[in-house]
Structures are given as C-alpha cells and as structure tokens.
Amino acid sequence: MSKFISNIRQLGFLWETRNPFLFCAHHLDKFPAGNDEMEPDVHTLEGRNIGMDFTDIDGWKMYHGDIVPGFPMHPHRGFETVTIVLQGFVDHSDSHGAGGRYGQGDVQWMTAGSGLQHSEMFPLLNKDKPNTTELFQVWLNLPKDKKMCEPHYKMLWAEDIPIFTEKDKNGKKTDVRVIAGKIANVNALAPAPDSWAENSENEVGIWVINMEAGAEWTLPKASGDINRTLYFYHGGTLNIAGESFTSGYSMELNPEEPVELKNGEMETHCLVLQGKPINEPVVQHGPFVMNNEAEIHQAITDYQHTLFGGWPWDMPGNVFPRNKGRFARYADGKEEIK
C-alpha cells in the first residue's frame, strides 16, 4: 500500500465520504432549453418515472420534480448541506420563508439544525439553448451539541470566494477555490455559525482544484488525525504521488504527507474534502442524522406534528420568475441582490 494513497474507488452519482462528511452528490445534467415556465418541453418527459426520475435519459434527470427538475420540499435535521454550483442555477425555498436563486459558481451553506423543510429546483432559464447544470451537494455532520441549533443559511457568492493561485516552474497554473478552510495564506469565507467548520482546529477543507494542462502543484500536508479524500472528477490523466489515474476516481490521501499532483494533457478538475472526524455515533434515517435511534424517532414525530414550520409557498417545488436574477432573501427579511 502506498504511504500516500489508499482506498481507491470509481466515482458514480453519489460519492463516498469520510467523517465528518456524510456524502457528496455530483449532479451533471445537460438539460434542454426551457419553455415559458422554465420547464423542459413536455415531449422530452416521455418514458420518465416522473417524481422519481434518476434514469439519465438524454443526459439529464428530473429527480423528484414533476414540472421543473429538482427536489421539491423535503425535511432535514441534524446536519448541514453545502451546495456548490459550477454551472446552471438553483432556486432555494424553505419553511422559514427564506429563498433565493444562486448559481454559476455560488455556494449555499445551509445548517438544518433542529429541522426545516426546503426545496432545491433547477429552473431552465435559457429558452434558446441548453441549460447545463453541474453541482456538488456535500452533507457535513453536526456534533451532538449543535444538532438542535437554530436553522440557518448563508450565501458564499462566486465573486467573493477566495482563490489560491500558483504557477509552477513552467508557468502552468493551478487554481483552488477555497470554500472551507485555508490553503497557504488564503482563508475561506466564514461558514455558517454552528458548523463543525467554524472551528479552525477541525481543519475542515472544501476545495475545488482546477489545473491547466501540464500543471504541477503540491497539496500541502495537514494534521495526522484529519480525514482527507481527493475526487478526480474531470480531465484526462493525473499523476498523484507518482501514480497515474484517469478521471472518475476518488482516493484517500495520507494527510501527514504533501502530495504532488502532475497534470496530463487536459485541463483537470478535482474536489478535496477533509476534516477532523466527529467522534460520536451517527444514526441516519433518510434526511435525519442524529446520534441514536430515539433521536431519530423524535425527529420523525416532530416533523409529523410541526412540519418544521410548514410550507409558506404556493408550490412544493417553488421557482422564482425568470428575470429575478441571483439573490438571497433570509428569514429575517434581509435580502441580497447580485
């Protein structure tokens, strides 16, 4: 076994993660042009299991959407979602009356905490060209003393996210979008206030790495008790600590060793997730992540009785007007417009 690399896996739609992360989903949908309601043309829905469409017909899915693709209202408790949109747009609505549209590099950091409902829809804004949508949704666990914290969400807008840039000896560039944690002297924006990532001692890192063809860069080492995983999701070939890989694989990296990355003849894209594990029991039932079965049963009961605040929107898969643009409106009424 290499002292640098272990546990090599082929990537699919859902990516395996390590504590403190719960999972990562990579969505890549080449949606067609939308109609006036930001929906796909009705003829393209033939043959799909509407409401549960994960079949990737023609390179895209409706997911749980029946009109607009996406994920209509559903509950969460006990963890956080970090949604990194590389292409396309997401319309967010939640049971606290908050909502927004974000995309094209924006990141939403949402703490479910004690519980809320939200919807995540993919409006097809372009009427005359395809609506390619690509995003990661990362689930980050909360420790026991934060699982019932007040729900919260914040936006990390694309133009504000710090980027670490380095050129190698041949002038080839590597860019790292620092969504959580730090690379060298480049620090991420603050995460949600109750996040495991809020304490720098937990060394939570969420980094999107883009390497020019032929670029070389060394991923710096971290502390020995950190779990670190690299996902090589797009490109040709990448040499990682002396081993050559084609795209479509993940691997665990030894955090105590700096890891040399030498790119091949295509631009390469990787995601790195790292963090100190939360050394507590994890019991998950669908969208509820707690520490024991009794807390899961309580979460189900609470949701049945309260609906985590109900649903203040007209549709379970709420979308905003086509011309709305990027914005965020929070539960306290504050609004940001980009």
mmCIF file with all atom_site columns, all heavy atoms in Angstrom, residues 201-224:
data_model
loop_
_atom_site.group_PDB
_atom_site.id
_atom_site.type_symbol
_atom_site.label_atom_id
_atom_site.label_alt_id
_atom_site.label_comp_id
_atom_site.label_asym_id
_atom_site.label_entity_id
_atom_site.label_seq_id
_atom_site.pdbx_PDB_ins_code
_atom_site.Cartn_x
_atom_site.Cartn_y
_atom_site.Cartn_z
_atom_site.occupancy
_atom_site.B_iso_or_equiv
_atom_site.pdbx_formal_charge
_atom_site.auth_seq_id
_atom_site.auth_comp_id
_atom_site.auth_asym_id
_atom_site.auth_atom_id
_atom_site.pdbx_PDB_model_num
ATOM 1   N N   . GLU A 1 201 ? -9.562  24.501 14.275  1.00 0.00 ? 201 GLU A N   1
ATOM 2   C CA  . GLU A 1 201 ? -8.845  23.318 14.756  1.00 0.00 ? 201 GLU A CA  1
ATOM 3   C C   . GLU A 1 201 ? -9.376  22.036 14.127  1.00 0.00 ? 201 GLU A C   1
ATOM 4   O O   . GLU A 1 201 ? -8.682  21.013 14.121  1.00 0.00 ? 201 GLU A O   1
ATOM 5   C CB  . GLU A 1 201 ? -8.937  23.232 16.277  1.00 0.00 ? 201 GLU A CB  1
ATOM 6   C CG  . GLU A 1 201 ? -8.198  24.347 17.004  1.00 0.00 ? 201 GLU A CG  1
ATOM 7   C CD  . GLU A 1 201 ? -8.265  24.209 18.505  1.00 0.00 ? 201 GLU A CD  1
ATOM 8   O OE1 . GLU A 1 201 ? -8.905  23.248 18.993  1.00 0.00 ? 201 GLU A OE1 1
ATOM 9   O OE2 . GLU A 1 201 ? -7.669  25.059 19.200  1.00 0.00 ? 201 GLU A OE2 1
ATOM 10  N N   . ASN A 1 202 ? -10.588 22.072 13.596  1.00 0.00 ? 202 ASN A N   1
ATOM 11  C CA  . ASN A 1 202 ? -11.164 20.885 12.949  1.00 0.00 ? 202 ASN A CA  1
ATOM 12  C C   . ASN A 1 202 ? -10.665 20.709 11.515  1.00 0.00 ? 202 ASN A C   1
ATOM 13  O O   . ASN A 1 202 ? -10.957 19.685 10.892  1.00 0.00 ? 202 ASN A O   1
ATOM 14  C CB  . ASN A 1 202 ? -12.689 20.954 12.975  1.00 0.00 ? 202 ASN A CB  1
ATOM 15  C CG  . ASN A 1 202 ? -13.233 20.902 14.394  1.00 0.00 ? 202 ASN A CG  1
ATOM 16  O OD1 . ASN A 1 202 ? -12.655 20.252 15.261  1.00 0.00 ? 202 ASN A OD1 1
ATOM 17  N ND2 . ASN A 1 202 ? -14.343 21.592 14.633  1.00 0.00 ? 202 ASN A ND2 1
ATOM 18  N N   . GLU A 1 203 ? -9.938  21.697 10.999  1.00 0.00 ? 203 GLU A N   1
ATOM 19  C CA  . GLU A 1 203 ? -9.274  21.637 9.690   1.00 0.00 ? 203 GLU A CA  1
ATOM 20  C C   . GLU A 1 203 ? -10.210 21.163 8.567   1.00 0.00 ? 203 GLU A C   1
ATOM 21  O O   . GLU A 1 203 ? -9.800  20.410 7.682   1.00 0.00 ? 203 GLU A O   1
ATOM 22  C CB  . GLU A 1 203 ? -8.036  20.753 9.749   1.00 0.00 ? 203 GLU A CB  1
ATOM 23  C CG  . GLU A 1 203 ? -6.907  21.366 10.558  1.00 0.00 ? 203 GLU A CG  1
ATOM 24  C CD  . GLU A 1 203 ? -5.622  20.582 10.482  1.00 0.00 ? 203 GLU A CD  1
ATOM 25  O OE1 . GLU A 1 203 ? -5.098  20.384 9.367   1.00 0.00 ? 203 GLU A OE1 1
ATOM 26  O OE2 . GLU A 1 203 ? -5.138  20.142 11.564  1.00 0.00 ? 203 GLU A OE2 1
ATOM 27  N N   . VAL A 1 204 ? -11.462 21.613 8.632   1.00 0.00 ? 204 VAL A N   1
ATOM 28  C CA  . VAL A 1 204 ? -12.388 21.278 7.543   1.00 0.00 ? 204 VAL A CA  1
ATOM 29  C C   . VAL A 1 204 ? -11.952 22.025 6.289   1.00 0.00 ? 204 VAL A C   1
ATOM 30  O O   . VAL A 1 204 ? -11.743 23.244 6.315   1.00 0.00 ? 204 VAL A O   1
ATOM 31  C CB  . VAL A 1 204 ? -13.838 21.634 7.916   1.00 0.00 ? 204 VAL A CB  1
ATOM 32  C CG1 . VAL A 1 204 ? -14.769 21.423 6.717   1.00 0.00 ? 204 VAL A CG1 1
ATOM 33  C CG2 . VAL A 1 204 ? -14.297 20.794 9.100   1.00 0.00 ? 204 VAL A CG2 1
ATOM 34  N N   . GLY A 1 205 ? -11.790 21.280 5.216   1.00 0.00 ? 205 GLY A N   1
ATOM 35  C CA  . GLY A 1 205 ? -11.440 21.869 3.936   1.00 0.00 ? 205 GLY A CA  1
ATOM 36  C C   . GLY A 1 205 ? -12.374 21.394 2.843   1.00 0.00 ? 205 GLY A C   1
ATOM 37  O O   . GLY A 1 205 ? -12.672 20.196 2.754   1.00 0.00 ? 205 GLY A O   1
ATOM 38  N N   . ILE A 1 206 ? -12.883 22.318 2.059   1.00 0.00 ? 206 ILE A N   1
ATOM 39  C CA  . ILE A 1 206 ? -13.647 22.015 0.848   1.00 0.00 ? 206 ILE A CA  1
ATOM 40  C C   . ILE A 1 206 ? -13.002 22.840 -0.253  1.00 0.00 ? 206 ILE A C   1
ATOM 41  O O   . ILE A 1 206 ? -13.106 24.070 -0.247  1.00 0.00 ? 206 ILE A O   1
ATOM 42  C CB  . ILE A 1 206 ? -15.145 22.352 0.996   1.00 0.00 ? 206 ILE A CB  1
ATOM 43  C CG1 . ILE A 1 206 ? -15.760 21.604 2.185   1.00 0.00 ? 206 ILE A CG1 1
ATOM 44  C CG2 . ILE A 1 206 ? -15.897 22.013 -0.297  1.00 0.00 ? 206 ILE A CG2 1
ATOM 45  C CD1 . ILE A 1 206 ? -17.222 21.973 2.457   1.00 0.00 ? 206 ILE A CD1 1
ATOM 46  N N   . TRP A 1 207 ? -12.312 22.159 -1.165  1.00 0.00 ? 207 TRP A N   1
ATOM 47  C CA  . TRP A 1 207 ? -11.501 22.842 -2.170  1.00 0.00 ? 207 TRP A CA  1
ATOM 48  C C   . TRP A 1 207 ? -11.813 22.298 -3.556  1.00 0.00 ? 207 TRP A C   1
ATOM 49  O O   . TRP A 1 207 ? -11.802 21.083 -3.770  1.00 0.00 ? 207 TRP A O   1
ATOM 50  C CB  . TRP A 1 207 ? -10.010 22.651 -1.885  1.00 0.00 ? 207 TRP A CB  1
ATOM 51  C CG  . TRP A 1 207 ? -9.592  23.055 -0.497  1.00 0.00 ? 207 TRP A CG  1
ATOM 52  C CD1 . TRP A 1 207 ? -10.079 24.092 0.233   1.00 0.00 ? 207 TRP A CD1 1
ATOM 53  C CD2 . TRP A 1 207 ? -8.606  22.418 0.324   1.00 0.00 ? 207 TRP A CD2 1
ATOM 54  N NE1 . TRP A 1 207 ? -9.466  24.153 1.454   1.00 0.00 ? 207 TRP A NE1 1
ATOM 55  C CE2 . TRP A 1 207 ? -8.551  23.137 1.550   1.00 0.00 ? 207 TRP A CE2 1
ATOM 56  C CE3 . TRP A 1 207 ? -7.764  21.329 0.149   1.00 0.00 ? 207 TRP A CE3 1
ATOM 57  C CZ2 . TRP A 1 207 ? -7.690  22.780 2.580   1.00 0.00 ? 207 TRP A CZ2 1
ATOM 58  C CZ3 . TRP A 1 207 ? -6.900  20.977 1.178   1.00 0.00 ? 207 TRP A CZ3 1
ATOM 59  C CH2 . TRP A 1 207 ? -6.875  21.700 2.382   1.00 0.00 ? 207 TRP A CH2 1
ATOM 60  N N   . VAL A 1 208 ? -12.081 23.184 -4.493  1.00 0.00 ? 208 VAL A N   1
ATOM 61  C CA  . VAL A 1 208 ? -12.259 22.810 -5.896  1.00 0.00 ? 208 VAL A CA  1
ATOM 62  C C   . VAL A 1 208 ? -10.992 23.210 -6.634  1.00 0.00 ? 208 VAL A C   1
ATOM 63  O O   . VAL A 1 208 ? -10.652 24.394 -6.697  1.00 0.00 ? 208 VAL A O   1
ATOM 64  C CB  . VAL A 1 208 ? -13.495 23.492 -6.512  1.00 0.00 ? 208 VAL A CB  1
ATOM 65  C CG1 . VAL A 1 208 ? -13.642 23.086 -7.980  1.00 0.00 ? 208 VAL A CG1 1
ATOM 66  C CG2 . VAL A 1 208 ? -14.759 23.103 -5.738  1.00 0.00 ? 208 VAL A CG2 1
ATOM 67  N N   . ILE A 1 209 ? -10.295 22.216 -7.176  1.00 0.00 ? 209 ILE A N   1
ATOM 68  C CA  . ILE A 1 209 ? -8.984  22.413 -7.794  1.00 0.00 ? 209 ILE A CA  1
ATOM 69  C C   . ILE A 1 209 ? -9.109  22.355 -9.309  1.00 0.00 ? 209 ILE A C   1
ATOM 70  O O   . ILE A 1 209 ? -9.645  21.375 -9.851  1.00 0.00 ? 209 ILE A O   1
ATOM 71  C CB  . ILE A 1 209 ? -7.992  21.330 -7.321  1.00 0.00 ? 209 ILE A CB  1
ATOM 72  C CG1 . ILE A 1 209 ? -7.867  21.347 -5.792  1.00 0.00 ? 209 ILE A CG1 1
ATOM 73  C CG2 . ILE A 1 209 ? -6.636  21.514 -7.980  1.00 0.00 ? 209 ILE A CG2 1
ATOM 74  C CD1 . ILE A 1 209 ? -7.072  20.173 -5.237  1.00 0.00 ? 209 ILE A CD1 1
ATOM 75  N N   . ASN A 1 210 ? -8.625  23.370 -9.995  1.00 0.00 ? 210 ASN A N   1
ATOM 76  C CA  . ASN A 1 210 ? -8.556  23.399 -11.459 1.00 0.00 ? 210 ASN A CA  1
ATOM 77  C C   . ASN A 1 210 ? -7.095  23.537 -11.864 1.00 0.00 ? 210 ASN A C   1
ATOM 78  O O   . ASN A 1 210 ? -6.420  24.494 -11.459 1.00 0.00 ? 210 ASN A O   1
ATOM 79  C CB  . ASN A 1 210 ? -9.363  24.570 -12.032 1.00 0.00 ? 210 ASN A CB  1
ATOM 80  C CG  . ASN A 1 210 ? -10.835 24.472 -11.708 1.00 0.00 ? 210 ASN A CG  1
ATOM 81  O OD1 . ASN A 1 210 ? -11.350 23.392 -11.448 1.00 0.00 ? 210 ASN A OD1 1
ATOM 82  N ND2 . ASN A 1 210 ? -11.512 25.601 -11.709 1.00 0.00 ? 210 ASN A ND2 1
ATOM 83  N N   . MET A 1 211 ? -6.607  22.599 -12.674 1.00 0.00 ? 211 MET A N   1
ATOM 84  C CA  . MET A 1 211 ? -5.209  22.601 -13.104 1.00 0.00 ? 211 MET A CA  1
ATOM 85  C C   . MET A 1 211 ? -5.139  22.707 -14.621 1.00 0.00 ? 211 MET A C   1
ATOM 86  O O   . MET A 1 211 ? -5.828  21.976 -15.340 1.00 0.00 ? 211 MET A O   1
ATOM 87  C CB  . MET A 1 211 ? -4.502  21.319 -12.655 1.00 0.00 ? 211 MET A CB  1
ATOM 88  C CG  . MET A 1 211 ? -4.517  21.081 -11.159 1.00 0.00 ? 211 MET A CG  1
ATOM 89  S SD  . MET A 1 211 ? -3.628  19.573 -10.671 1.00 0.00 ? 211 MET A SD  1
ATOM 90  C CE  . MET A 1 211 ? -1.917  20.105 -10.930 1.00 0.00 ? 211 MET A CE  1
ATOM 91  N N   . GLU A 1 212 ? -4.321  23.629 -15.096 1.00 0.00 ? 212 GLU A N   1
ATOM 92  C CA  . GLU A 1 212 ? -4.081  23.716 -16.521 1.00 0.00 ? 212 GLU A CA  1
ATOM 93  C C   . GLU A 1 212 ? -3.391  22.441 -17.010 1.00 0.00 ? 212 GLU A C   1
ATOM 94  O O   . GLU A 1 212 ? -2.749  21.725 -16.237 1.00 0.00 ? 212 GLU A O   1
ATOM 95  C CB  . GLU A 1 212 ? -3.175  24.913 -16.844 1.00 0.00 ? 212 GLU A CB  1
ATOM 96  C CG  . GLU A 1 212 ? -3.841  26.259 -16.729 1.00 0.00 ? 212 GLU A CG  1
ATOM 97  C CD  . GLU A 1 212 ? -2.933  27.391 -17.179 1.00 0.00 ? 212 GLU A CD  1
ATOM 98  O OE1 . GLU A 1 212 ? -1.719  27.177 -17.297 1.00 0.00 ? 212 GLU A OE1 1
ATOM 99  O OE2 . GLU A 1 212 ? -3.463  28.492 -17.411 1.00 0.00 ? 212 GLU A OE2 1
ATOM 100 N N   . ALA A 1 213 ? -3.515  22.179 -18.306 1.00 0.00 ? 213 ALA A N   1
ATOM 101 C CA  . ALA A 1 213 ? -2.791  21.054 -18.903 1.00 0.00 ? 213 ALA A CA  1
ATOM 102 C C   . ALA A 1 213 ? -1.308  21.195 -18.603 1.00 0.00 ? 213 ALA A C   1
ATOM 103 O O   . ALA A 1 213 ? -0.724  22.265 -18.767 1.00 0.00 ? 213 ALA A O   1
ATOM 104 C CB  . ALA A 1 213 ? -3.031  21.017 -20.407 1.00 0.00 ? 213 ALA A CB  1
ATOM 105 N N   . GLY A 1 214 ? -0.703  20.112 -18.093 1.00 0.00 ? 214 GLY A N   1
ATOM 106 C CA  . GLY A 1 214 ? 0.718   20.114 -17.795 1.00 0.00 ? 214 GLY A CA  1
ATOM 107 C C   . GLY A 1 214 ? 1.112   20.754 -16.491 1.00 0.00 ? 214 GLY A C   1
ATOM 108 O O   . GLY A 1 214 ? 2.302   20.780 -16.144 1.00 0.00 ? 214 GLY A O   1
ATOM 109 N N   . ALA A 1 215 ? 0.143   21.266 -15.719 1.00 0.00 ? 215 ALA A N   1
ATOM 110 C CA  . ALA A 1 215 ? 0.466   21.954 -14.468 1.00 0.00 ? 215 ALA A CA  1
ATOM 111 C C   . ALA A 1 215 ? 0.896   20.966 -13.385 1.00 0.00 ? 215 ALA A C   1
ATOM 112 O O   . ALA A 1 215 ? 0.463   19.812 -13.355 1.00 0.00 ? 215 ALA A O   1
ATOM 113 C CB  . ALA A 1 215 ? -0.734  22.759 -13.984 1.00 0.00 ? 215 ALA A CB  1
ATOM 114 N N   . GLU A 1 216 ? 1.747   21.458 -12.486 1.00 0.00 ? 216 GLU A N   1
ATOM 115 C CA  . GLU A 1 216 ? 2.176   20.685 -11.326 1.00 0.00 ? 216 GLU A CA  1
ATOM 116 C C   . GLU A 1 216 ? 1.915   21.511 -10.063 1.00 0.00 ? 216 GLU A C   1
ATOM 117 O O   . GLU A 1 216 ? 2.144   22.719 -10.043 1.00 0.00 ? 216 GLU A O   1
ATOM 118 C CB  . GLU A 1 216 ? 3.668   20.346 -11.420 1.00 0.00 ? 216 GLU A CB  1
ATOM 119 C CG  . GLU A 1 216 ? 4.015   19.500 -12.638 1.00 0.00 ? 216 GLU A CG  1
ATOM 120 C CD  . GLU A 1 216 ? 5.492   19.138 -12.693 1.00 0.00 ? 216 GLU A CD  1
ATOM 121 O OE1 . GLU A 1 216 ? 6.202   19.386 -11.689 1.00 0.00 ? 216 GLU A OE1 1
ATOM 122 O OE2 . GLU A 1 216 ? 5.942   18.613 -13.733 1.00 0.00 ? 216 GLU A OE2 1
ATOM 123 N N   . TRP A 1 217 ? 1.433   20.841 -9.020  1.00 0.00 ? 217 TRP A N   1
ATOM 124 C CA  . TRP A 1 217 ? 1.164   21.522 -7.755  1.00 0.00 ? 217 TRP A CA  1
ATOM 125 C C   . TRP A 1 217 ? 1.214   20.505 -6.637  1.00 0.00 ? 217 TRP A C   1
ATOM 126 O O   . TRP A 1 217 ? 0.831   19.342 -6.809  1.00 0.00 ? 217 TRP A O   1
ATOM 127 C CB  . TRP A 1 217 ? -0.200  22.218 -7.790  1.00 0.00 ? 217 TRP A CB  1
ATOM 128 C CG  . TRP A 1 217 ? -0.552  22.919 -6.503  1.00 0.00 ? 217 TRP A CG  1
ATOM 129 C CD1 . TRP A 1 217 ? 0.104   23.975 -5.943  1.00 0.00 ? 217 TRP A CD1 1
ATOM 130 C CD2 . TRP A 1 217 ? -1.619  22.599 -5.604  1.00 0.00 ? 217 TRP A CD2 1
ATOM 131 N NE1 . TRP A 1 217 ? -0.498  24.344 -4.761  1.00 0.00 ? 217 TRP A NE1 1
ATOM 132 C CE2 . TRP A 1 217 ? -1.558  23.519 -4.539  1.00 0.00 ? 217 TRP A CE2 1
ATOM 133 C CE3 . TRP A 1 217 ? -2.619  21.634 -5.608  1.00 0.00 ? 217 TRP A CE3 1
ATOM 134 C CZ2 . TRP A 1 217 ? -2.456  23.489 -3.478  1.00 0.00 ? 217 TRP A CZ2 1
ATOM 135 C CZ3 . TRP A 1 217 ? -3.528  21.608 -4.550  1.00 0.00 ? 217 TRP A CZ3 1
ATOM 136 C CH2 . TRP A 1 217 ? -3.448  22.533 -3.496  1.00 0.00 ? 217 TRP A CH2 1
ATOM 137 N N   . THR A 1 218 ? 1.666   20.927 -5.470  1.00 0.00 ? 218 THR A N   1
ATOM 138 C CA  . THR A 1 218 ? 1.744   20.044 -4.307  1.00 0.00 ? 218 THR A CA  1
ATOM 139 C C   . THR A 1 218 ? 0.682   20.424 -3.290  1.00 0.00 ? 218 THR A C   1
ATOM 140 O O   . THR A 1 218 ? 0.666   21.566 -2.790  1.00 0.00 ? 218 THR A O   1
ATOM 141 C CB  . THR A 1 218 ? 3.144   20.121 -3.659  1.00 0.00 ? 218 THR A CB  1
ATOM 142 O OG1 . THR A 1 218 ? 4.125   19.693 -4.616  1.00 0.00 ? 218 THR A OG1 1
ATOM 143 C CG2 . THR A 1 218 ? 3.211   19.217 -2.443  1.00 0.00 ? 218 THR A CG2 1
ATOM 144 N N   . LEU A 1 219 ? -0.194  19.480 -2.987  1.00 0.00 ? 219 LEU A N   1
ATOM 145 C CA  . LEU A 1 219 ? -1.213  19.666 -1.958  1.00 0.00 ? 219 LEU A CA  1
ATOM 146 C C   . LEU A 1 219 ? -0.519  19.615 -0.603  1.00 0.00 ? 219 LEU A C   1
ATOM 147 O O   . LEU A 1 219 ? 0.122   18.611 -0.264  1.00 0.00 ? 219 LEU A O   1
ATOM 148 C CB  . LEU A 1 219 ? -2.258  18.552 -2.076  1.00 0.00 ? 219 LEU A CB  1
ATOM 149 C CG  . LEU A 1 219 ? -3.442  18.554 -1.119  1.00 0.00 ? 219 LEU A CG  1
ATOM 150 C CD1 . LEU A 1 219 ? -4.331  19.764 -1.368  1.00 0.00 ? 219 LEU A CD1 1
ATOM 151 C CD2 . LEU A 1 219 ? -4.252  17.268 -1.265  1.00 0.00 ? 219 LEU A CD2 1
ATOM 152 N N   . PRO A 1 220 ? -0.596  20.691 0.177   1.00 0.00 ? 220 PRO A N   1
ATOM 153 C CA  . PRO A 1 220 ? 0.154   20.707 1.443   1.00 0.00 ? 220 PRO A CA  1
ATOM 154 C C   . PRO A 1 220 ? -0.403  19.713 2.452   1.00 0.00 ? 220 PRO A C   1
ATOM 155 O O   . PRO A 1 220 ? -1.571  19.322 2.406   1.00 0.00 ? 220 PRO A O   1
ATOM 156 C CB  . PRO A 1 220 ? -0.018  22.154 1.922   1.00 0.00 ? 220 PRO A CB  1
ATOM 157 C CG  . PRO A 1 220 ? -1.250  22.649 1.248   1.00 0.00 ? 220 PRO A CG  1
ATOM 158 C CD  . PRO A 1 220 ? -1.326  21.946 -0.068  1.00 0.00 ? 220 PRO A CD  1
ATOM 159 N N   . LYS A 1 221 ? 0.445   19.321 3.380   1.00 0.00 ? 221 LYS A N   1
ATOM 160 C CA  . LYS A 1 221 ? 0.028   18.346 4.385   1.00 0.00 ? 221 LYS A CA  1
ATOM 161 C C   . LYS A 1 221 ? -0.871  18.994 5.429   1.00 0.00 ? 221 LYS A C   1
ATOM 162 O O   . LYS A 1 221 ? -0.940  20.223 5.554   1.00 0.00 ? 221 LYS A O   1
ATOM 163 C CB  . LYS A 1 221 ? 1.253   17.720 5.050   1.00 0.00 ? 221 LYS A CB  1
ATOM 164 C CG  . LYS A 1 221 ? 2.099   18.682 5.871   1.00 0.00 ? 221 LYS A CG  1
ATOM 165 C CD  . LYS A 1 221 ? 3.291   17.950 6.476   1.00 0.00 ? 221 LYS A CD  1
ATOM 166 C CE  . LYS A 1 221 ? 4.137   18.890 7.336   1.00 0.00 ? 221 LYS A CE  1
ATOM 167 N NZ  . LYS A 1 221 ? 5.297   18.171 7.940   1.00 0.00 ? 221 LYS A NZ  1
ATOM 168 N N   . ALA A 1 222 ? -1.556  18.128 6.186   1.00 0.00 ? 222 ALA A N   1
ATOM 169 C CA  . ALA A 1 222 ? -2.423  18.568 7.276   1.00 0.00 ? 222 ALA A CA  1
ATOM 170 C C   . ALA A 1 222 ? -2.055  17.768 8.523   1.00 0.00 ? 222 ALA A C   1
ATOM 171 O O   . ALA A 1 222 ? -1.058  17.049 8.537   1.00 0.00 ? 222 ALA A O   1
ATOM 172 C CB  . ALA A 1 222 ? -3.888  18.368 6.897   1.00 0.00 ? 222 ALA A CB  1
ATOM 173 N N   . SER A 1 223 ? -2.868  17.858 9.567   1.00 0.00 ? 223 SER A N   1
ATOM 174 C CA  . SER A 1 223 ? -2.608  17.116 10.797  1.00 0.00 ? 223 SER A CA  1
ATOM 175 C C   . SER A 1 223 ? -2.907  15.627 10.610  1.00 0.00 ? 223 SER A C   1
ATOM 176 O O   . SER A 1 223 ? -3.670  15.234 9.730   1.00 0.00 ? 223 SER A O   1
ATOM 177 C CB  . SER A 1 223 ? -3.453  17.670 11.939  1.00 0.00 ? 223 SER A CB  1
ATOM 178 O OG  . SER A 1 223 ? -3.176  19.041 12.148  1.00 0.00 ? 223 SER A OG  1
ATOM 179 N N   . GLY A 1 224 ? -2.312  14.815 11.476  1.00 0.00 ? 224 GLY A N   1
ATOM 180 C CA  . GLY A 1 224 ? -2.422  13.370 11.317  1.00 0.00 ? 224 GLY A CA  1
ATOM 181 C C   . GLY A 1 224 ? -3.787  12.792 11.564  1.00 0.00 ? 224 GLY A C   1
ATOM 182 O O   . GLY A 1 224 ? -4.093  11.684 11.087  1.00 0.00 ? 224 GLY A O   1
#
